């Protein structure tokens, strides 16, 4: 079959599915918003689309998000129209609708099955919005702004044949009429690559880490409150004061993926350094390393040398890094929030703590640093859980393939 993939940051969640489709003889094309250096990636033909305009000056602020998505959708449509003129007709359009790119494609190819990768449905209460009282909105209309973020998705959902979502909790965020169209299938964890290693060393800059060092790891694409960066930083004085050999490795960029930038500071990293570092002495500061963004191989090595790994999140999308850390056999301390509670059972596959309680977080980390037997038990059960529920090759990828290739009846 001819399969068209749409994703603003391709390959992203399709990094395993797209090559697998190619390997089974399907003709796969990806529409992407940048001019690629080559014409293909792992068998996938790459076609660029270009955005010709920006947002309208003076547009109503509440309409800005939807207009941005319409602009992307128009740009993607124009590139697809040229493909159609050249004789291209897909059987399946596989899209992440989040940026609006695929919003008009059913008008171009009405016979194609539109299948959506669905991450999250926004709510004005009880989920991520205003979860953290420290950064709660003061505008009564902000809940409406959040609700408007669903407009693009709803325009997609009405025309989609089916969708998938990675976890049961993410599935539960969608309205019932949409949930009925969604299959719960995770992107998959490559447990053969992401596995514990008994002997491992990692060098980052001038720092060298070994498997048996007291290394505490924290990972987030960007260091920001949505992933509990502020709470983790506030736990460090308690930890470093009580563990003179503990070292902290913080992996992630300084931008913003979700939420807003801090007031009065350029980044959340600088804000939290200004808050926490005055509470530390020089030797304690020296035991904290901000590693920035690592190569994937170094990221895996960081998980493999980690003695305790911390994962915190608002009630929002579950990040890959938690399951990757579990697959590597990390002893996990996670937040007692629904996305994490789906995969971490307290004192079985990790320890769970109140998201907002930095002292409780520090206590759980110190407990694991003290208790080698508990660490080993949690490590073994965490990896077993991921292998049995989320393994890429034996579970998730076959399910993704079946979902993709099943045509609408």
């Amino acid at each position: 079959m001819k399969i068209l993939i749409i994703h603003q940051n391709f390959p992203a969640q399709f990094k395993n599915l797209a090559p697998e489709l190619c390997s089974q003889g399907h003709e796969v094309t990806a529409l992407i918003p940048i001019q690629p250096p080559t014409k293909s990636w792992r068998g996938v033909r790459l076609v660029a689309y270009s955005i010709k305009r920006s947002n309208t000056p003076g547009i109503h602020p509440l309409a800005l998000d939807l207009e941005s998505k319409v602009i992307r959708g128009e740009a993607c449509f124009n590139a697809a129209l040229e493909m159609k003129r050249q004789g291209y007709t897909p059987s399946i359009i596989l899209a992440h609708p989040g940026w609006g790119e695929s919003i008009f494609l059913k008008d171009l190819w009405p016979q194609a099955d539109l299948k959506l990768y669905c991450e999250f449905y926004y709510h004005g209460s009880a989920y991520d919005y205003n979860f953290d009282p420290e950064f709660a909105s003061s505008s009564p209309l902000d809940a409406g702004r959040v609700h408007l973020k669903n407009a693009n998705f709803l325009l997609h959902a009405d025309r989609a044949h089916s969708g998938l979502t990675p976890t049961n909790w993410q599935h539960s965020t969608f309205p019932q009429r949409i949930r009925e169209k969604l299959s719960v299938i995770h992107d998959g964890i490559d447990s053969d690559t992401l596995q514990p290693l008994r002997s491992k060393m990692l060098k980052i800059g001038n720092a060298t880490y070994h498997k048996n060092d007291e290394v505490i790891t924290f990972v987030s694409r960007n260091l920001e409150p949505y992933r509990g960066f502020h709470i983790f930083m506030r736990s460090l004085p308690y930890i470093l004061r009580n563990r003179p050999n503990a070292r902290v490795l913080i992996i992630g960029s300084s931008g913003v993926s979700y939420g807003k930038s801090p007031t009065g500071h350029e980044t959340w990293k600088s804000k939290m350094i200004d808050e926490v570092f005055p509470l530390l002495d020089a030797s304690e500061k020296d035991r904290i390393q901000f590693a920035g963004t690592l190569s994937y191989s170094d990221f895996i090595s960081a998980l493999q040398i980690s003695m305790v790994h911390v994962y915190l999140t608002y009630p929002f999308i579950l990040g890959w890094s938690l399951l990757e850390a579990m697959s590597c056999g990390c002893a996990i301390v996670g937040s007692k929030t629904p996305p994490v509670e789906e995969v971490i059972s307290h004192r079985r596959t990790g320890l769970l703590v109140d998201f907002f309680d930095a002292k409780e977080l520090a206590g759980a980390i110190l407990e694991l640093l003290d208790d080698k037997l508990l660490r080993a038990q949690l490590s073994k059960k965490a990896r077993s859980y991921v292998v049995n529920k989320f393994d890429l090759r034996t579970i998730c990828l076959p399910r993704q393939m079946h979902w993709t290739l099943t045509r609408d009846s």
Side-chain angles (χ1 to χ4, degrees), residues 244-289:
N245 294 319
R247 302 167 69 190
V248 180
L249 179 58
I250 300 172
I251 300 167
S253 297
S254 298
V256 174
S257 296
Y258 316 110
K260 299 177 181 179
S261 298
T263 302
H265 288 77
E266 186 174 345
T267 66
W268 289 105
K269 174 184 171 182
S270 64
K271 175 179 172 60
M272 295 314 303
I273 286 176
D274 284 351
E275 177 183 329
V276 171
F277 272 38
L279 306 176
L280 305 174
D281 63 30
S283 66
E284 290 166 346
K285 294 174 188 175
D286 287 343
R287 289 186 278 136
I288 302 172
Q289 182 175 14

Side-chain angles (χ1 to χ4, degrees), residues 2-58:
K2 291 183 179 180
I3 301 169
L4 178 63
I5 297 181
I6 314 290
H7 197 300
Q8 182 261 354
N9 192 32
F10 180 84
Q13 288 96 342
F14 303 128
K15 67 177 183 177
N16 296 303
L17 177 58
E20 184 69 12
L21 289 165
C22 292
S23 73
Q24 295 196 15
H26 302 284
E27 181 186 319
V28 183
T29 302
L31 261 175
I32 60 175
I34 58 171
Q35 192 63 44
T38 61
K39 293 183 178 180
S40 66
W41 173 81
R42 298 183 63 185
V44 179
R45 179 169 69 111
L46 302 177
V47 177
Y49 72 86
S50 57
I51 299 171
K52 303 295 187 182
R53 57 164 293 172
S54 57
N55 287 101
T56 304

Side-chain angles (χ1 to χ4, degrees), residues 280-347:
L280 305 174
D281 63 30
S283 66
E284 290 166 346
K285 294 174 188 175
D286 287 343
R287 289 186 278 136
I288 302 172
Q289 182 175 14
F290 290 91
T293 301
L294 300 181
S295 68
Y296 193 62
S297 61
D298 281 347
F299 163 72
I300 295 172
S301 296
L303 296 179
Q304 290 169 330
I305 59 92
S306 176
M307 189 168 285
V308 178
H309 181 75
V310 177
Y311 183 85
L312 311 174
T313 185
Y314 286 9
F316 195 57
I317 297 162
L318 184 72
W320 285 339
S321 66
L322 174 58
L323 296 175
E324 290 172 320
M326 294 170 71
S327 184
C328 286
C330 290
I332 308 288
V333 178
S335 57
K336 199 181 297 181
T337 49
V340 180
E341 290 176 298
E342 182 171 340
V343 298
I344 296 289
S345 299
H346 187 52
R347 295 198 172 274

Side-chain angles (χ1 to χ4, degrees), residues 131-157:
F131 169 74
D132 193 334
E134 185 174 350
F135 309 112
S137 170
S138 59
S139 170
L141 193 53
D142 260 2
R145 176 188 58 78
V146 171
H147 182 63
L148 274 175
K149 294 180 74 170
N150 293 316
N152 162 66
F153 176 78
L154 290 171
L155 290 169
H156 277 86

